[in-house]
Amino acid sequence: MTIRILLLALLTLLYAAPVQAHPHVWVTMKSELVYAEDGTVTGVRHHWAFDDMFSAFATQGLESKEKGKFTREELSELAKVNVESLKEYGYFTYAIADGKKAPLTDPQPDYWLDYNDSVLTLNFTLPFKTPVKAKELTIDIYDPTIFVDFSFDKKSPVQLVGAPQCKLDVQLPREMTFAEGKALAQIPADQSNTTMAWGAQFANKILVKCP
Amino acid sequence: MRCALLILAVLLVFGALDVTLAQPFGMSRTPAPPEIGGFTGWILAKQAEFYRMMSGTIRAAKADGSAAWTLMGISFLYGIFHAAGPGHGKAVISSYLVANDETWRRGIVLSFASAILQAFTAIALVGIAAVLLNATAKTMGDTVRVIEIVSYALIVLIGLRLLWVKGRAFLALLRPKVHDHQHAHRDHDRAHDHHHDHGHDHAHHDHHHDHAEEASAWGHAHAPEPSELAGRHWLRRGLAAIVAVGLRPCSGAIIVLVFALAQGLFWIGVASTFVMGIGTAITVAVIATIAVGARGLAGRLAKAKPGAGMILVRGLETAAAVVIVAFGALLLTGYIVSERMVGV
């Protein structure tokens, strides 16, 4: 009996999470939904502030006139690399309009990075392929592999820019409590995880309801 | 009991298949119903927590030297949890030990050697690229990608070599009449290898016997060529596995090192990286020991039931070799991502 438990424990350890990584990058987001005059949503504007460790890492070796400070121009090449590499991951932004997937396209070319108080912030706008008019628009922001940990800024997480009478709701990903962590640890080891659900579970959700 | 081992063998293969099917970015974009991976989720949460604590502690160490000790504690815990979570190291090492029928002591040595090598490569990379050459994060990321390819290719090669040896032994067992000489020779050679070890290590007396008998089940007895013996010393054999697993530096360690460098505390980053390596080694060693234990049970079973038992043992070894090949191939083709360097 103990042998079986041992074997199951071994298998779980070996195979439960070979695909996953834990976050190595933390992003604090401020997002805006940009509306056109006709009341359609044209895109999502993101301002992603990276954690200090990643900011230090990303700016390593970059040339700057003043030590410890970077101008927008000095960071332009890094911004390009950042945005281009995000393409592969769908910019971690998933939109659903009235239950249907609403595709977003590549960012507008006016993206930029800035650097303040040792924090690097990436600013970019993702346009919708076709402007969206929906009674219910949901935008999820998360990394399915949780390499990047996203969370909304506490003060001003989401703004609606030029929106008609719409109701905005922002759902933060729930944080795992200590008790929860303990309870989870006691779940039999043979119940493995569906890799993807973990990331989605901790998605940041923007919910907009319009009449 | 036998049933449990059979399940293990089957699951080893299924585990590899499962990995194939799980594609990081091929998921549907609608959120799946919440399902938390109990143990895994907890480990992920823990290591993220420790990792997060590092940046604050490194900053604190600038003003207050005693924070460096706190950092070492955090680094150690991070290492322990990090190895329990993602990464292919433990899977490759464990499968390697099972396929090669190594002892738990050797498993521990391999675990530590690969984890320490991993710390070294991270330090060497940041030390040379960032400290000496003032290279950018992009250059470092590109370097890691090259190292990665070499490392994963090496895993495939190790797996293929094992598969060639163990797979043939397994097939030969299924068709006893078509027993080729060469392969019996090899197996006897392995028995001899253990004998050689016996001289240094009395604790493995039993083990030696196990294998002498296991090998005698093959029925052939030839003295191995001396040159062949020298090339088959376990540590030399294990070197490829150590390098394959330890070559690819951990992204977390690289980021911590660069961050420490930016704070003017590179040496604290170096110490932290080594402590992380020790933590990682402990976890991998524990898992490797469990794997060796399971393999040992299979060996004992084989002794009791010479026919079916041997098939099971050889099957297990073959399955372990398949797992190594699968891991290496999937990592190489990018179907599974061990760790990534994002945005740079």
Side-chain angles (χ1 to χ4, degrees):
Chain A
M1 197 53 215
T2 37
I3 292 153
R4 268 176 220 200
I5 291 169
L6 213 72
L7 291 176
L8 282 172
L10 172 71
L11 282 168
T12 309
L13 285 172
L14 287 179
Y15 298 113
V19 192
Q20 285 177 330
H22 75 92
H24 281 81
V25 182
W26 277 263
V27 169
T28 308
M29 308 178 282
K30 288 182 186 176
S31 299
E32 289 149 28
L33 290 185
V34 187
Y35 284 80
E37 275 185 16
D38 63 357
T40 55
V41 191
T42 57
V44 185
R45 194 180 294 150
H46 285 310
H47 308 276
W48 290 356
F50 297 105
D51 66 290
D52 54 355
M53 276 220 267
F54 184 77
S55 298
F57 174 72
T59 51
Q60 155 64 33
L62 291 184
E63 278 176 37
S64 67
K65 276 201 190 107
E66 208 177 329
K67 201 176 177 290
K69 283 189 179 167
F70 299 95
T71 62
R72 215 183 260 205
E73 290 70 38
E74 283 161 347
L75 293 169
S76 63
E77 208 168 310
L78 180 62
K80 189 166 179 276
V81 175
N82 272 334
V83 165
E84 280 169 3
S85 72
L86 282 169
K87 185 184 170 76
E88 189 185 336
Y89 309 109
Y91 307 94
F92 301 123
T93 308
Y94 315 111
I96 292 162
D98 290 332
K100 269 188 218 138
K101 220 159 104 176
L104 291 151
T105 60
D106 291 347
Q108 290 170 8
D110 63 350
Y111 57 81
W112 82 93
L113 268 172
D114 53 44
Y115 187 81
N116 288 310
D117 300 325
S118 310
V119 167
L120 204 56
T121 306
L122 180 65
N123 309 275
F124 63 103
T125 307
L126 294 171
F128 277 105
K129 211 166 189 174
T130 46
V132 170
K133 195 172 175 80
K135 281 208 169 100
E136 196 177 290
L137 179 64
T138 328
I139 291 157
D140 282 341
I141 301 138
Y142 65 92
D143 178 359
T145 63
I146 62 170
F147 183 89
V148 185
D149 178 289
F150 289 99
S151 60
F152 278 119
D153 182 70
K154 296 271 187 301
K155 275 186 215 151
S156 60
V158 183
Q159 308 264 313
L160 302 182
V161 182
Q165 296 291 313
C166 292
K167 195 175 151 281
L168 171 70
D169 191 13
V170 179
Q171 288 172 11
L172 302 181
R174 41 185 222 87
E175 273 177 40
M176 191 154 47
T177 61
F178 176 73
E180 207 172 358
K182 221 172 125 190
L184 287 173
Q186 284 160 356
I187 290 176
D190 58 329
Q191 293 178 13
S192 66
N193 175 32
T194 330
T195 317
M196 296 316 145
W198 185 256
Q201 168 101 359
F202 289 87
N204 296 270
K205 216 181 257 298
I206 303 173
L207 198 73
V208 188
K209 285 183 178 165
C210 297
Chain B
M1 188 39 235
R2 200 142 66 102
C3 179
L5 283 166
L6 264 172
I7 291 169
L8 174 70
V10 171
L11 287 183
L12 274 166
V13 177
F14 270 86
L17 286 176
D18 193 36
V19 169
T20 328
L21 298 173
Q23 294 188 23
F25 306 108
M27 62 169 296
S28 78
R29 294 307 188 207
T30 48
E35 191 182 329
I36 305 172
F39 191 58
T40 311
W42 181 71
I43 283 174
L44 289 169
K46 273 290 156 206
Q47 53 178 323
E49 198 182 310
F50 292 129
Y51 184 78
R52 216 61 239 262
M53 283 159 85
M54 280 195 238
S55 87
T57 326
I58 293 172
R59 269 186 203 288
K62 226 166 149 181
D64 173 14
S66 69
W69 294 108
T70 317
L71 177 68
M72 296 311 138
I74 295 168
S75 306
F76 180 69
L77 291 171
Y78 171 75
I80 287 192
F81 279 94
H82 185 63
H88 56 280
K90 60 186 180 337
V92 172
I93 292 271
S94 299
S95 305
Y96 177 82
L97 293 170
V98 167
N100 260 329
D101 191 18
E102 300 283 15
T103 63
W104 62 272
R105 286 176 188 226
R106 291 171 182 184
I108 290 172
V109 172
L110 290 186
S111 305
F112 271 81
S114 59
I116 297 302
L117 176 63
Q118 203 177 22
F120 262 114
T121 49
I123 293 163
L125 175 73
V126 178
I128 295 168
V131 180
L132 295 181
L133 305 175
N134 196 27
T136 59
K138 187 180 185 308
T139 311
M140 282 187 272
D142 292 344
T143 313
V144 169
R145 262 166 227 123
V146 174
I147 296 173
E148 225 169 44
I149 291 168
V150 175
S151 159
Y152 299 161
L154 206 52
I155 291 173
V156 173
L157 287 178
I158 290 169
L160 285 177
R161 192 197 157 275
L162 276 171
L163 192 59
W164 174 243
V165 176
K166 302 299 173 183
R168 279 199 315 166
F170 181 53
L171 287 179
L173 205 60
L174 293 177
R175 292 174 290 134
K177 298 255 161 75
V178 211
H179 201 98
D180 74 310
H181 185 78
Q182 173 62 32
H183 128 98
H185 194 75
R186 173 168 288 131
D187 244 66
H188 180 73
D189 175 26
R190 193 158 63 93
H192 198 95
D193 187 19
H194 279 284
H195 185 73
H196 172 71
D197 182 48
H198 174 69
H200 307 285
D201 195 346
H202 285 278
H204 288 278
H205 191 82
D206 284 347
H207 197 79
H208 153 65
H209 263 291
D210 265 16
H211 291 292
E213 282 171 43
E214 211 177 282
S216 70
W218 296 93
H220 296 264
H222 287 285
E225 304 290 324
S227 61
E228 215 176 345
L229 247 188
R232 282 168 180 264
H233 189 268
W234 73 272
L235 197 56
R236 197 182 290 188
R237 198 171 49 196
L239 197 64
I242 294 169
V243 172
V245 171
L247 205 56
R248 197 245 191 258
C250 153
S251 307
I254 293 173
I255 295 175
V256 167
L257 280 164
V258 173
F259 181 68
L261 174 67
Q263 306 300 312
L265 299 166
F266 185 61
W267 291 107
I268 283 190
V270 170
S272 158
T273 304
F274 273 118
V275 175
M276 272 186 229
I278 293 168
T280 304
I282 289 173
T283 305
V284 176
V286 167
I287 295 166
T289 305
I290 297 172
V292 170
R295 171 62 181 80
L297 281 171
R300 245 166 286 156
L301 191 88
K303 219 162 67 170
K305 285 212 166 196
M310 282 309 286
I311 292 178
L312 192 63
V313 166
R314 296 286 168 250
L316 198 62
E317 288 175 351
T318 308
V322 169
V323 166
I324 298 176
V325 177
F327 254 95
L330 292 172
L331 286 163
L332 203 56
T333 50
Y335 276 107
I336 54 174
V337 182
S338 179
E339 264 193 332
R340 48 180 226 257
M341 305 287 288
V342 83
V344 288

